[in-house]
């Protein structure tokens, strides 16, 4: 599918075919593409929890306002981020770069994030947001539909997936075959309401 078509046709789908299964190759393709999403300093701070256990999915559905897509979609991804990814062997993020680049970038990573709790959180949400759109557009290009979700109790979901300390949950995404189309778009603002030239 053309990129422009995927952007225009992507919608948040709530109802999926619970019998449809994606192949391991399709799932790996989507996740591999997600990993090409940019992150600041290439710290790759996103962590994708692919929930395949059906009983676990049922428990997650309970703390997600009983939304059907949690159990019925072919794939349930919980997009998490490691807030401290920047300090965990940061050399690995630049292992293929020339030494002079490594010698400059790695200390810059440590200097930028050290003691900056808000920046760590902001960066986590930015990174997962970009990855989420990559996942949704890749899914649409492969003939699948998706739904980004924030309608869940993050503490309860975190407990169910054993979320590590210093990680946060940014959102969930369901992917699969739609059995019901999305409602018509609620109403898009005109460009003149959202685009500012130079200054407010």
């Amino acid at each position: 599918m053309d990129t422009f078509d995927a952007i225009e046709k992507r919608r948040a789908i709530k109802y999926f075919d619970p019998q449809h299964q994606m192949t391991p190759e399709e799932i790996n393709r989507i996740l591999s593409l997600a990993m090409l999403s940019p992150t600041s300093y290439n710290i790759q701070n996103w962590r994708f929890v692919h929930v395949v256990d059906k009983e676990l999915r049922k428990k997650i559905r309970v703390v997600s306002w009983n939304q059907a897509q949690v159990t019925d979609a072919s794939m349930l991804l919980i997009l998490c981020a490691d807030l401290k990814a920047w300090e965990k062997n940061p050399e690995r993020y630049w292992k293929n770069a020339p030494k002079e680049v490594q010698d400059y970038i790695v200390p810059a990573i440590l200097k930028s994030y050290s003691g900056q709790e808000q920046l760590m959180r902001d960066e986590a949400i930015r990174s997962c947001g970009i990855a989420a759109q990559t996942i949704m557009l890749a899914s649409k290009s492969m003939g699948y539909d998706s739904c980004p979700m924030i309608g869940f109790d993050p503490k309860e979901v975190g407990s169910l997936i054993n979320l590590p300390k210093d990680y946060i949950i940014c959102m969930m995404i369901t992917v699969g075959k739609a059995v019901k189309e999305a409602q018509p778009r609620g109403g898009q603002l005109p460009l003149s309401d959202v685009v500012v030239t130079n200054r407010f």
Side-chain angles (χ1 to χ4, degrees):
M1 183 180 290
D2 177 86
T3 302
F4 291 170
D5 286 342
I7 292 170
E8 290 175 347
K9 292 177 180 176
R10 185 221 56 82
R11 299 296 309 283
I13 295 297
K14 307 294 185 181
Y15 300 98
F16 293 89
D17 178 357
Q19 304 306 316
H20 181 79
Q21 293 187 348
M22 296 171 67
T23 67
E25 291 77 18
E26 289 173 321
I27 292 167
N28 286 338
R29 180 71 172 143
I30 289 171
L31 293 174
S32 295
L33 289 168
M35 289 182 63
L36 297 178
S37 302
T39 57
S40 181
Y41 288 107
N42 196 39
I43 60 174
Q44 301 164 68
N45 49 345
W46 14 245
R47 301 292 181 265
F48 309 121
V49 180
H50 179 206
V51 184
V52 296
D53 184 285
K54 291 185 178 181
E55 290 305 312
L56 180 56
R57 280 229 211 169
K58 288 177 184 176
K59 292 176 182 177
I60 293 172
R61 178 171 171 168
V62 169
V63 295
S64 302
W65 306 344
N66 199 35
Q67 294 183 79
Q69 65 266 36
V70 174
T71 53
D72 294 354
S74 303
M75 181 163 63
L76 171 64
L77 293 174
I78 304 174
L79 275 61
C80 307
D82 181 355
L83 298 174
K84 299 296 179 70
W86 59 274
E87 69 177 0
K88 296 175 180 174
N89 190 17
E91 297 84 5
R92 61 189 168 147
Y93 308 133
W94 291 91
K95 64 183 180 182
N96 298 326
K99 186 176 187 310
E100 60 270 20
V101 173
Q102 295 180 37
D103 290 346
Y104 171 77
I105 291 284
V106 173
I109 294 172
L110 299 174
K111 183 177 180 182
S112 294
Y113 290 99
S114 183
Q116 300 295 323
E117 301 294 327
Q118 186 64 50
L119 178 60
M120 294 175 209
R121 184 177 176 81
D122 291 348
E123 209 60 75
I125 294 170
R126 270 192 287 269
S127 296
C128 283
I130 295 169
Q133 187 70 343
T134 300
I135 290 165
M136 291 185 288
L137 293 180
S139 298
K140 193 63 184 173
S141 295
M142 293 168 63
Y144 288 109
D145 290 291
S146 61
C147 183
M149 296 180 61
I150 59 167
F152 58 90
D153 184 323
K155 287 186 178 178
E156 293 292 338
V157 173
S159 177
L160 287 168
I161 64 170
N162 300 325
L163 188 73
K165 184 176 181 280
D166 295 327
Y167 280 48
I168 61 169
I169 296 175
C170 297
M171 66 170 63
M172 299 196 303
I173 297 178
T174 53
V175 178
K177 285 288 185 185
V179 293
K180 186 177 178 181
E181 290 185 6
Q183 296 290 332
R185 291 187 185 274
Q188 302 302 115
L189 295 172
L191 281 176
S192 58
D193 281 8
V194 298
V195 178
V196 176
T197 302
N198 296 325
R199 299 177 182 86
F200 282 95

